[in-house]
Amino acid sequence: EMLRSLALKHGRAVVKPRASMSMVQRRRQHTNVIDTLRERHFVSAVTSEDIVAHVGSNSTAVYCGVDPTAPSLHLGNMVTLMGLLHFHLGGHQAIPLVGNATGMIGDPSGRSTERVALDRETLARNIAGIEAQLQRFFSRGTEYALKRMPEIDPTRLRKVCVLHNADWYQDMNILQFLGSVGRYSRVGAMMARDSVKSRLQSMHGISFTEFSYQLLQAYDFWHLYHHHGCRIQLGGSDQWGNITAGTDLIHKMPFQQDGCDTGGLIAEPENGSVDTAYGLTIPLLTTSSGEKFGKSAGNAIWLDEAKTSAFDIYQFFVKTSDADVERFLKMFTLLPVRRIAEVMSEHREVPENFAAQRLLAAEVTELIHGQSGLNRALCATE
C-alpha cells in the first residue's frame, strides 16, 4: 500500500485489471507497426514506402545490430531497441544482432576519429554484458507491455532471436570475402557514404579497416536475409549508408554466392524471385536544444544498473524539460498516445506539478529495471 501511494504521488501509471479480450478483438485492434512508429516519432527515413504494405500484410523478420564497444547498452541504443520492441509486440520476428565480429573493426559513422581497438578479453566481457542486457530488455519490455496493452495476444509473440555475426565470419577468409562481397561493391558508392566523406575531409582521414566496415554490415543484412528470412534493418539515422549498402548487396549478390553455408535456417525467396529488402532509420537521441546522448557525447545513461542505478535513471527523466517530455513519453514508453495527450494536457494546466515528467520517469525506470527497480527508485526518492 505504501508503494502504491508512492507510485501515485510520483506519476506512476497504476494498471487496473481489465476484462480479457478475445483473439478476434485483439486482431481488430491491430495497427501497422510503421504507422505506430511514425506516430511516436521513430521514423527518420525509409528506403521505400512499400515497407508499409510489406509490414501490414506479412509477418516479417526485423533486425538491428549493436557492436559491443562497451560493457553496457545506453539510452542511445535503447531508442533503436524500442523500435525493434514495437515490431516484436506486433507479432514480427525481432533479431537483435550482437556485432562481436564488427566490434573488432569499429563503425566510423558519427565519429571524427578512429575507435580504439579492443583486446579480446575486453571484447568478450562486453559481448557477455550486451547479450545479457538484450535478453533482459525484451523480457522486461514484453512484461511491461502486457500490463499496458491488452490488445496484445501473447500467443502471437515470437521468441526474440539474439544472434552473433561472428558465427558467419569465423569460417570465412579474406579471399572468400573479397571474391564475393567485394566483387559486388563499387568504390565510388562506398566513397559517397556520409560517414566516409566526413572522415576523408577531416585531418585524421579514415583507415582501410573502417572504410571496409560498411561491407561487413552489408553482408550481415545479406546473410540474415537469406538464412533467417530477415527483410528489414533498423538503425540510427547515421546508419543510412550502411543500411543501403546492405539492400544494394541483397539485390546484386545471388544466394550462395558467398560460398559459406553456415547451416543456419535458410529462407530462400519463393519462385527464385528476390523480395525487397527494406531499411528504416530512427532519429538519433537528442534534446530540443540539439544535445546528443551517448558514449561519444560523454553523457551516456547506461542500462546496466551497476553503471547507472534505477534511482539515477528516475532522476534523469524526472528532470526532462517541458520541450522534450512529450516526445520522450512517446519514444521511451508504451503508454497509449491518448494517455500521453491526457497527461500533457494536465501538465500544461499545472506545470509546477511535473506530472508528465514524473510519469515518464516511472515508466522508463520500470521498463528498464522492472517493478522492483521502480520500487527502489521511488523509495530512494522519498
Side-chain angles (χ1 to χ4, degrees):
E1 187 61 33
M2 181 187 75
L3 287 173
R4 183 178 184 277
S5 62
L6 280 173
L8 289 170
K9 180 178 179 181
H10 289 276
R12 168 78 166 83
V14 178
V15 182
K16 298 179 181 179
R18 303 191 186 189
S20 61
M21 300 176 68
S22 69
M23 185 176 294
V24 173
Q25 287 175 308
R26 285 173 170 141
R27 285 177 176 169
R28 283 175 181 169
Q29 295 191 24
H30 174 74
T31 56
N32 191 301
V33 176
I34 303 299
D35 295 334
T36 299
L37 293 179
R38 282 186 162 142
E39 185 178 34
R40 290 178 174 269
H41 309 302
F42 274 98
V43 180
S44 176
V46 293
T47 54
S48 170
E49 282 298 324
D50 290 343
I51 191 174
V52 179
H54 173 75
V55 172
S57 60
N58 298 277
S59 178
T60 192
V62 188
Y63 100 94
C64 72
V66 180
D67 280 352
T69 54
S72 172
L73 300 167
H74 53 77
L75 285 186
N77 301 127
M78 184 176 169
V79 176
T80 308
L81 292 175
M82 286 297 294
L84 194 59
L85 179 61
H86 278 286
F87 276 101
H88 169 62
L89 297 173
H92 302 285
Q93 177 65 66
I95 305 175
L97 179 66
V98 180
N100 49 346
T102 44
M104 293 189 287
I105 302 300
D107 184 1
S109 301
R111 293 184 60 86
S112 58
T113 59
E114 187 160 353
R115 295 180 186 273
V116 176
L118 300 177
D119 60 71
R120 290 187 177 276
E121 183 179 338
T122 300
L123 186 62
R125 185 168 58 250
N126 290 355
I127 291 167
I130 296 297
E131 179 172 8
Q133 283 189 345
L134 287 170
Q135 299 281 9
R136 190 162 53 245
F137 174 81
F138 284 96
S139 174
R140 286 179 175 166
T142 302
E143 179 182 352
Y144 167 91
L146 292 175
K147 292 166 62 176
R148 289 157 178 80
M149 303 169 70
E151 68 274 16
I152 293 177
D153 178 3
T155 65
R156 292 181 61 242
L157 301 185
R158 299 187 177 191
K159 182 179 179 181
V160 174
C161 182
V162 179
L163 299 177
H164 300 78
N165 62 6
D167 290 346
W168 47 86
Y169 287 115
Q170 60 186 358
D171 296 323
M172 180 185 292
N173 62 41
I174 186 65
L175 295 179
Q176 286 177 309
F177 187 80
L178 291 177
S180 55
V181 178
R183 195 177 304 280
Y184 291 92
S185 304
R186 292 293 174 263
V187 173
M190 295 174 68
M191 296 279 286
R193 311 286 185 207
D194 288 340
S195 59
V196 173
K197 285 195 298 184
S198 62
R199 287 286 292 278
L200 286 173
Q201 295 166 2
S202 72
M203 62 179 294
H204 300 285
I206 187 170
S207 69
F208 177 76
T209 298
E210 286 196 326
F211 177 65
S212 303
Y213 182 94
Q214 58 185 288
L215 299 185
L216 296 172
Q217 187 166 328
Y219 182 73
D220 285 345
F221 197 1
W222 185 97
H223 180 92
L224 291 170
Y225 178 97
H226 287 289
H227 292 267
H228 293 272
C230 182
R231 296 295 180 263
I232 301 174
Q233 180 181 175
L234 302 184
S237 56
D238 60 347
Q239 293 294 306
W240 179 258
N242 293 341
I243 291 173
T244 55
T247 58
D248 288 347
L249 186 65
I250 287 167
H251 286 92
K252 291 177 180 178
M253 191 168 85
F255 181 58
Q256 293 185 340
Q257 181 66 43
D258 61 340
C260 182
D261 185 356
T262 61
L265 173 63
I266 298 177
E268 295 184 71
E270 296 180 3
N271 303 321
S273 64
V274 177
D275 294 339
T276 301
Y278 302 95
L280 186 154
T281 58
I282 295 173
L284 298 180
L285 180 60
T286 62
T287 65
S288 57
S289 62
E291 181 184 7
K292 293 182 179 180
F293 293 95
K295 300 191 303 298
S296 300
N299 58 353
I301 304 297
W302 304 98
L303 305 194
D304 184 349
E305 193 165 6
K307 295 173 73 67
T308 302
S309 69
F311 170 76
D312 288 335
I313 288 280
Y314 184 93
Q315 290 299 313
F316 173 82
F317 280 101
V318 86
K319 296 174 183 177
T320 301
S321 70
D322 288 349
D324 292 318
V325 67
E326 183 174 10
R327 179 166 56 94
F328 284 6
L329 277 166
K330 290 180 177 180
M331 297 187 77
F332 285 108
T333 82
L334 296 177
L335 293 171
V337 174
R338 64 180 181 279
R339 172 71 180 104
I340 295 173
E342 289 170 0
V343 75
M344 288 307 302
S345 177
E346 176 188 342
H347 175 71
R348 293 184 186 102
E349 291 179 5
V350 195
E352 60 271 20
N353 288 347
F354 299 102
Q357 283 87 346
R358 288 186 284 111
L359 177 61
L360 172 66
E363 292 290 309
V364 178
T365 304
E366 181 180 348
L367 174 58
I368 296 174
H369 294 299
Q371 183 65 53
S372 61
L374 174 59
N375 292 346
R376 291 193 300 274
L378 292 176
C379 288
T381 299
E382 285 299 299

Coordinates of all heavy atoms in Angstrom, one line a residue, residues 78-136:
M78 N 18.9 2.3 -26.7 CA 17.5 2.0 -26.3 C 16.5 2.5 -27.3 O 15.5 1.9 -27.6 CB 17.2 2.5 -24.9 CG 15.9 2.1 -24.4 SD 15.6 2.6 -22.7 CE 13.8 2.3 -22.5
V79 N 16.8 3.6 -27.9 CA 15.8 4.2 -28.9 C 15.6 3.2 -30.0 O 14.5 2.9 -30.4 CB 16.3 5.6 -29.4 CG1 15.4 6.1 -30.5 CG2 16.4 6.6 -28.3
T80 N 16.7 2.7 -30.6 CA 16.5 1.7 -31.7 C 15.9 0.4 -31.2 O 15.1 -0.2 -31.9 CB 17.9 1.4 -32.3 OG1 18.6 2.7 -32.7 CG2 17.8 0.6 -33.6
L81 N 16.3 0.0 -30.0 CA 15.7 -1.2 -29.5 C 14.2 -1.1 -29.2 O 13.4 -2.0 -29.3 CB 16.4 -1.6 -28.2 CG 17.9 -2.1 -28.4 CD1 18.6 -2.4 -27.0 CD2 17.9 -3.4 -29.3
M82 N 13.8 0.1 -28.9 CA 12.3 0.4 -28.7 C 11.6 0.2 -30.0 O 10.5 -0.4 -30.1 CB 12.1 1.8 -28.1 CG 12.4 2.0 -26.7 SD 11.4 1.0 -25.5 CE 9.8 1.7 -25.8
G83 N 12.2 0.6 -31.1 CA 11.7 0.4 -32.4 C 11.5 -1.1 -32.7 O 10.5 -1.6 -33.2
L84 N 12.6 -1.9 -32.3 CA 12.5 -3.3 -32.5 C 11.5 -4.0 -31.6 O 10.8 -4.9 -32.0 CB 13.9 -3.9 -32.3 CG 14.2 -5.4 -32.7 CD1 13.9 -5.5 -34.2 CD2 15.6 -5.8 -32.4
L85 N 11.3 -3.4 -30.4 CA 10.3 -3.9 -29.5 C 8.9 -3.8 -30.0 O 8.1 -4.7 -29.9 CB 10.5 -3.2 -28.1 CG 9.5 -3.6 -27.0 CD1 9.6 -5.1 -26.7 CD2 9.7 -2.8 -25.8
H86 N 8.7 -2.7 -30.7 CA 7.4 -2.4 -31.3 C 7.1 -3.5 -32.4 O 5.9 -4.0 -32.5 CB 7.3 -1.1 -31.9 CG 7.0 0.0 -31.0 ND1 5.7 0.2 -30.4 CD2 7.7 1.0 -30.4 CE1 5.7 1.3 -29.6 NE2 6.9 1.8 -29.6
F87 N 8.1 -3.9 -33.1 CA 7.9 -5.0 -34.1 C 7.6 -6.3 -33.4 O 6.7 -7.1 -33.8 CB 9.1 -5.1 -35.0 CG 9.1 -4.1 -36.2 CD1 9.9 -3.0 -36.2 CD2 8.4 -4.4 -37.3 CE1 9.9 -2.1 -37.3 CE2 8.4 -3.6 -38.4 CZ 9.1 -2.4 -38.4
H88 N 8.4 -6.6 -32.4 CA 8.2 -7.8 -31.6 C 6.7 -7.9 -31.1 O 6.0 -8.9 -31.2 CB 9.2 -7.8 -30.4 CG 8.9 -8.9 -29.4 ND1 8.9 -10.3 -29.7 CD2 8.6 -8.8 -28.1 CE1 8.6 -11.0 -28.6 NE2 8.4 -10.1 -27.6
L89 N 6.2 -6.8 -30.5 CA 4.9 -6.7 -29.9 C 3.8 -6.8 -31.0 O 2.7 -7.2 -30.7 CB 4.7 -5.5 -29.1 CG 5.6 -5.4 -27.9 CD1 5.5 -4.0 -27.2 CD2 5.4 -6.5 -26.9
G90 N 4.2 -6.5 -32.3 CA 3.3 -6.6 -33.4 C 3.3 -8.0 -34.0 O 2.6 -8.2 -35.0
G91 N 3.9 -8.9 -33.4 CA 3.9 -10.3 -33.9 C 5.0 -10.6 -34.9 O 5.0 -11.7 -35.5
H92 N 5.9 -9.7 -35.1 CA 7.0 -10.0 -36.1 C 8.2 -10.6 -35.4 O 8.3 -10.6 -34.1 CB 7.4 -8.7 -36.7 CG 6.3 -8.0 -37.5 ND1 5.8 -8.5 -38.7 CD2 5.5 -6.9 -37.1 CE1 4.8 -7.7 -39.0 NE2 4.6 -6.8 -38.1
Q93 N 9.1 -11.2 -36.2 CA 10.4 -11.8 -35.6 C 11.4 -10.7 -35.4 O 11.9 -10.1 -36.3 CB 10.9 -12.8 -36.6 CG 12.2 -13.5 -36.1 CD 12.1 -14.3 -34.8 OE1 11.4 -15.3 -34.8 NE2 12.7 -13.8 -33.7
A94 N 11.8 -10.5 -34.1 CA 12.8 -9.5 -33.8 C 14.2 -10.2 -33.7 O 14.3 -11.2 -33.0 CB 12.5 -8.8 -32.5
I95 N 15.2 -9.6 -34.3 CA 16.5 -10.2 -34.3 C 17.5 -9.1 -33.8 O 18.0 -8.3 -34.6 CB 16.9 -10.7 -35.7 CG1 15.9 -11.7 -36.2 CG2 18.3 -11.4 -35.6 CD1 16.2 -12.2 -37.6
P96 N 17.8 -9.1 -32.5 CA 18.9 -8.2 -32.1 C 20.3 -8.9 -32.5 O 20.4 -10.1 -32.1 CB 18.7 -8.1 -30.6 CG 17.4 -8.8 -30.3 CD 17.2 -9.7 -31.4
L97 N 21.1 -8.2 -33.1 CA 22.4 -8.8 -33.6 C 23.6 -8.2 -32.8 O 23.8 -7.0 -32.8 CB 22.6 -8.5 -35.1 CG 23.9 -9.1 -35.7 CD1 23.9 -10.6 -35.7 CD2 24.1 -8.5 -37.1
V98 N 24.3 -9.1 -32.1 CA 25.5 -8.6 -31.4 C 26.7 -8.7 -32.4 O 27.0 -9.7 -33.0 CB 25.8 -9.6 -30.2 CG1 27.1 -9.1 -29.5 CG2 24.6 -9.6 -29.2
G99 N 27.3 -7.5 -32.6 CA 28.4 -7.4 -33.6 C 29.7 -7.8 -33.0 O 30.6 -7.0 -32.9
N100 N 29.8 -9.1 -32.6 CA 31.1 -9.5 -32.0 C 32.2 -9.6 -33.0 O 33.4 -9.5 -32.7 CB 31.0 -10.8 -31.2 CG 30.3 -11.9 -32.0 OD1 29.6 -11.6 -33.0 ND2 30.4 -13.1 -31.5
A101 N 31.9 -9.6 -34.3 CA 32.9 -9.6 -35.4 C 33.2 -8.1 -35.8 O 34.3 -7.6 -35.8 CB 32.5 -10.4 -36.6
T102 N 32.1 -7.4 -36.1 CA 32.3 -6.0 -36.5 C 32.8 -5.1 -35.3 O 33.4 -4.1 -35.5 CB 30.9 -5.4 -37.0 OG1 29.9 -5.8 -36.1 CG2 30.6 -5.9 -38.4
G103 N 32.6 -5.6 -34.1 CA 33.1 -4.8 -32.9 C 34.6 -4.8 -32.9 O 35.2 -3.9 -32.3
M104 N 35.2 -5.7 -33.6 CA 36.7 -5.7 -33.7 C 37.2 -4.7 -34.7 O 38.4 -4.4 -34.8 CB 37.2 -7.1 -34.0 CG 37.0 -8.1 -32.9 SD 37.8 -9.7 -33.2 CE 36.7 -10.4 -34.5
I105 N 36.3 -4.2 -35.6 CA 36.7 -3.2 -36.6 C 36.3 -1.8 -36.2 O 37.2 -0.9 -36.2 CB 35.9 -3.6 -37.9 CG1 36.3 -5.0 -38.4 CG2 36.3 -2.6 -39.0 CD1 37.7 -5.3 -38.6
G106 N 35.1 -1.6 -35.9 CA 34.7 -0.2 -35.5 C 34.0 0.5 -36.6 O 34.5 0.7 -37.7
D107 N 32.8 1.0 -36.3 CA 32.0 1.7 -37.3 C 32.4 3.2 -37.3 O 32.4 3.9 -36.2 CB 30.5 1.6 -36.9 CG 29.6 2.3 -37.9 OD1 30.0 2.8 -38.9 OD2 28.3 2.2 -37.6
P108 N 32.8 3.8 -38.4 CA 33.1 5.2 -38.5 C 32.0 6.2 -38.4 O 32.2 7.4 -38.3 CB 33.9 5.3 -39.8 CG 33.2 4.2 -40.7 CD 32.9 3.1 -39.7
S109 N 30.7 5.6 -38.5 CA 29.6 6.5 -38.6 C 29.5 7.4 -37.3 O 29.5 6.9 -36.2 CB 28.3 5.7 -38.7 OG 28.3 4.9 -39.9
G110 N 29.3 8.7 -37.6 CA 29.1 9.6 -36.5 C 30.4 9.9 -35.7 O 30.3 10.5 -34.6
R111 N 31.5 9.5 -36.2 CA 32.8 9.7 -35.4 C 33.8 10.5 -36.3 O 33.8 10.4 -37.5 CB 33.4 8.4 -35.0 CG 32.6 7.6 -34.0 CD 33.3 6.3 -33.6 NE 34.6 6.6 -33.0 CZ 34.8 6.9 -31.7 NH1 33.7 6.9 -30.9 NH2 36.0 7.1 -31.2
S112 N 34.6 11.3 -35.6 CA 35.6 12.1 -36.2 C 37.0 11.5 -36.1 O 37.9 11.9 -36.8 CB 35.7 13.5 -35.6 OG 35.9 13.5 -34.2
T113 N 37.1 10.5 -35.3 CA 38.4 9.8 -35.1 C 38.1 8.3 -35.1 O 37.0 7.8 -34.8 CB 39.1 10.2 -33.8 OG1 38.2 9.9 -32.7 CG2 39.4 11.7 -33.8
E114 N 39.2 7.5 -35.3 CA 39.0 6.0 -35.3 C 38.9 5.5 -33.9 O 39.5 6.0 -32.9 CB 40.2 5.4 -36.0 CG 40.1 3.9 -36.2 CD 41.1 3.4 -37.2 OE1 41.7 4.2 -37.9 OE2 41.1 2.1 -37.4
R115 N 38.0 4.5 -33.8 CA 37.8 3.8 -32.5 C 39.1 3.1 -32.0 O 39.9 2.6 -32.8 CB 36.7 2.8 -32.5 CG 35.3 3.4 -32.8 CD 34.3 2.4 -32.8 NE 33.0 2.9 -33.3 CZ 32.1 3.5 -32.4 NH1 32.4 3.5 -31.1 NH2 31.0 3.9 -32.9
V116 N 39.3 3.1 -30.7 CA 40.4 2.4 -30.1 C 40.1 0.9 -30.2 O 39.0 0.4 -29.8 CB 40.6 2.7 -28.7 CG1 41.8 1.9 -28.0 CG2 41.0 4.2 -28.5
A117 N 41.0 0.1 -30.8 CA 40.8 -1.4 -30.9 C 40.7 -2.0 -29.5 O 41.5 -1.7 -28.6 CB 42.0 -2.0 -31.7
L118 N 39.8 -2.9 -29.4 CA 39.6 -3.6 -28.1 C 40.4 -4.9 -28.1 O 40.4 -5.7 -29.1 CB 38.1 -3.9 -27.9 CG 37.1 -2.8 -27.9 CD1 35.7 -3.3 -27.8 CD2 37.4 -1.8 -26.8
D119 N 41.0 -5.2 -26.9 CA 41.6 -6.5 -26.8 C 40.6 -7.6 -26.6 O 39.4 -7.3 -26.3 CB 42.6 -6.5 -25.6 CG 41.9 -6.3 -24.3 OD1 41.2 -7.1 -23.8 OD2 42.1 -5.1 -23.7
R120 N 41.0 -8.9 -26.9 CA 40.0 -10.0 -26.8 C 39.3 -10.1 -25.5 O 38.1 -10.5 -25.5 CB 40.7 -11.3 -27.2 CG 41.1 -11.3 -28.7 CD 41.7 -12.7 -29.1 NE 42.0 -12.7 -30.5 CZ 41.2 -13.0 -31.4 NH1 39.9 -13.3 -31.1 NH2 41.5 -13.1 -32.7
E121 N 40.0 -9.9 -24.4 CA 39.4 -10.1 -23.1 C 38.3 -9.0 -22.9 O 37.2 -9.3 -22.4 CB 40.5 -9.9 -22.0 CG 39.9 -10.1 -20.6 CD 41.0 -10.0 -19.5 OE1 42.2 -10.2 -19.9 OE2 40.7 -9.8 -18.4
T122 N 38.6 -7.8 -23.2 CA 37.6 -6.7 -23.1 C 36.4 -7.0 -24.0 O 35.2 -6.8 -23.6 CB 38.2 -5.3 -23.4 OG1 39.3 -5.1 -22.6 CG2 37.2 -4.2 -23.3
L123 N 36.7 -7.4 -25.2 CA 35.6 -7.6 -26.2 C 34.7 -8.8 -25.7 O 33.5 -8.6 -25.8 CB 36.2 -8.0 -27.6 CG 35.2 -8.2 -28.7 CD1 34.5 -6.9 -29.0 CD2 35.9 -8.7 -30.0
A124 N 35.3 -9.8 -25.2 CA 34.5 -10.9 -24.6 C 33.6 -10.5 -23.5 O 32.5 -10.9 -23.4 CB 35.4 -12.1 -24.2
R125 N 34.2 -9.7 -22.6 CA 33.4 -9.1 -21.5 C 32.2 -8.3 -21.9 O 31.1 -8.4 -21.4 CB 34.3 -8.4 -20.5 CG 33.6 -7.9 -19.2 CD 34.7 -7.4 -18.2 NE 35.5 -6.3 -18.7 CZ 36.8 -6.4 -19.0 NH1 37.4 -7.6 -18.9 NH2 37.4 -5.4 -19.5
N126 N 32.5 -7.4 -22.9 CA 31.5 -6.6 -23.5 C 30.4 -7.4 -24.1 O 29.2 -7.1 -24.0 CB 32.1 -5.6 -24.5 CG 32.9 -4.5 -23.8 OD1 33.1 -4.5 -22.6 ND2 33.6 -3.7 -24.7
I127 N 30.8 -8.4 -24.9 CA 29.8 -9.3 -25.6 C 28.8 -9.9 -24.6 O 27.6 -9.9 -24.8 CB 30.5 -10.3 -26.4 CG1 31.2 -9.7 -27.6 CG2 29.5 -11.4 -26.9 CD1 32.2 -10.6 -28.3
A128 N 29.4 -10.5 -23.5 CA 28.6 -11.1 -22.5 C 27.6 -10.1 -21.9 O 26.4 -10.5 -21.7 CB 29.5 -11.8 -21.4
G129 N 28.1 -8.9 -21.6 CA 27.2 -7.9 -21.0 C 26.1 -7.5 -21.9 O 24.9 -7.4 -21.5
I130 N 26.4 -7.2 -23.2 CA 25.4 -6.8 -24.1 C 24.4 -7.9 -24.4 O 23.2 -7.6 -24.4 CB 26.1 -6.4 -25.5 CG1 27.0 -5.2 -25.2 CG2 25.1 -6.1 -26.5 CD1 26.4 -3.9 -24.8
E131 N 24.8 -9.1 -24.6 CA 23.8 -10.2 -24.8 C 22.9 -10.3 -23.7 O 21.7 -10.5 -23.9 CB 24.5 -11.5 -25.1 CG 23.6 -12.6 -25.4 CD 24.2 -13.9 -25.9 OE1 25.4 -14.0 -25.8 OE2 23.5 -14.8 -26.3
A132 N 23.4 -10.3 -22.4 CA 22.5 -10.5 -21.3 C 21.5 -9.3 -21.2 O 20.3 -9.5 -20.9 CB 23.4 -10.5 -20.0
Q133 N 22.0 -8.1 -21.5 CA 21.1 -6.9 -21.5 C 20.0 -7.0 -22.6 O 18.9 -6.6 -22.3 CB 21.9 -5.7 -21.6 CG 22.6 -5.3 -20.3 CD 23.2 -3.9 -20.4 OE1 23.3 -3.3 -21.5 NE2 23.6 -3.3 -19.3
L134 N 20.4 -7.5 -23.7 CA 19.4 -7.6 -24.8 C 18.3 -8.6 -24.4 O 17.1 -8.3 -24.6 CB 20.0 -8.1 -26.1 CG 20.9 -7.0 -26.8 CD1 21.7 -7.7 -27.9 CD2 20.1 -5.9 -27.4
Q135 N 18.7 -9.7 -23.8 CA 17.7 -10.7 -23.4 C 16.8 -10.1 -22.3 O 15.6 -10.3 -22.3 CB 18.4 -12.0 -22.8 CG 19.3 -12.7 -23.8 CD 18.5 -13.6 -24.8 OE1 17.3 -13.5 -24.8 NE2 19.2 -14.4 -25.6
R136 N 17.4 -9.4 -21.4 CA 16.6 -8.8 -20.3 C 15.7 -7.7 -20.8 O 14.6 -7.5 -20.3 CB 17.6 -8.3 -19.2 CG 17.0 -7.8 -17.9 CD 18.0 -7.8 -16.8 NE 19.2 -6.9 -17.2 CZ 20.4 -7.4 -17.3 NH1 20.7 -8.7 -17.1 NH2 21.4 -6.6 -17.6

